[in-house]
């Protein structure tokens, strides 16, 4: 089975920075698009950023110029560097990866990591 393991969440003050990582492992034939969603209590899960295998990235308007998504294909890992954090960035962050295995294409999710921005 494919597994995505996240790390890097925690508590940070407004204006601070935090870096998240998400590593994929298991039966992977092809690792395609990867990215991050986030979800706050009582709110719908929203897309934060996506990155294609060659490195082209897209961001939600709310995080543009503050967050940077990147990936290391050799390590099968996607990262999210978050700068100038605001309280409204507080959420559970979930990574995802579109993966081809022996059964075909599937979307896989990390377990989620809590990010809290508070003074």
């Amino acid at each position: 089975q494919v597994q995505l393991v996240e790390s890097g969440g925690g508590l940070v003050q407004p204006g601070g920075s935090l870096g998240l990582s998400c590593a994929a492992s298991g039966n992977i034939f092809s690792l395609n698009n990867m990215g991050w969603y986030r979800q706050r209590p009582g709110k719908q899960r929203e897309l934060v950023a996506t990155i294609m295998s060659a490195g082209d990235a897209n961001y939600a308007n709310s995080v543009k110029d503050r967050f940077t998504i990147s990936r290391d294909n050799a390590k099968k890992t996607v990262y999210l560097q978050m700068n100038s954090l605001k309280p409204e960035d507080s959420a559970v962050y979930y990574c995802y990866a579109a993966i081809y295995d022996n059964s075909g294409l599937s979307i896989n999710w990390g377990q989620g990591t809590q990010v809290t921005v508070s003074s």
Side-chain angles (χ1 to χ4, degrees), residues 5 9 12 19 25 35 38 40 42 45 49 52 69-70 72 74 76 79 90 105 118:
V5 178
V12 65
S25 62
R38 66 186 182 186
R40 303 209 295 272
R45 186 175 297 188
M52 296 189 292
I69 188 171
S70 61
D72 185 330
K76 297 181 175 63
Y79 305 92
S90 297
L105 180 67
S118 176

Side-chain angles (χ1 to χ4, degrees), residues 3-7 20-25 28 31-32 34-36 51-53 69-80 95-97:
Q3 186 176 29
L4 272 62
V5 178
E6 302 180 29
S7 63
L20 307 180
S21 65
C22 172
S25 62
I28 300 172
L31 182 61
N32 298 306
M34 305 181 78
W36 297 87
I51 185 167
M52 296 189 292
S53 60
I69 188 171
S70 61
R71 63 191 288 165
D72 185 330
N73 290 330
K75 296 182 180 295
K76 297 181 175 63
T77 300
V78 62
Y79 305 92
L80 186 68
C95 65
Y96 77 89

Side-chain angles (χ1 to χ4, degrees), residues 6-101:
E6 302 180 29
S7 63
L11 175 65
V12 65
Q13 294 183 6
S17 298
L18 205 60
L20 307 180
S21 65
C22 172
S25 62
N27 184 26
I28 300 172
F29 176 76
S30 177
L31 182 61
N32 298 306
N33 292 346
M34 305 181 78
W36 297 87
Y37 281 74
R38 66 186 182 186
Q39 188 169 27
R40 303 209 295 272
K43 297 190 67 177
Q44 198 169 331
R45 186 175 297 188
E46 64 175 349
L47 180 65
V48 176
T50 62
I51 185 167
M52 296 189 292
S53 60
D56 294 328
N58 289 284
Y59 300 91
N61 288 334
S62 59
V63 306
K64 263 188 176 295
D65 302 320
R66 298 190 298 120
F67 291 11
T68 301
I69 188 171
S70 61
R71 63 191 288 165
D72 185 330
N73 290 330
K75 296 182 180 295
K76 297 181 175 63
T77 300
V78 62
Y79 305 92
L80 186 68
Q81 179 63 44
M82 303 181 293
N83 300 321
S84 302
L85 282 162
K86 305 174 180 179
E88 52 263 43
D89 295 319
S90 297
V92 177
Y93 284 71
Y94 298 90
C95 65
Y96 77 89
I99 293 173
Y100 279 97
D101 60 16

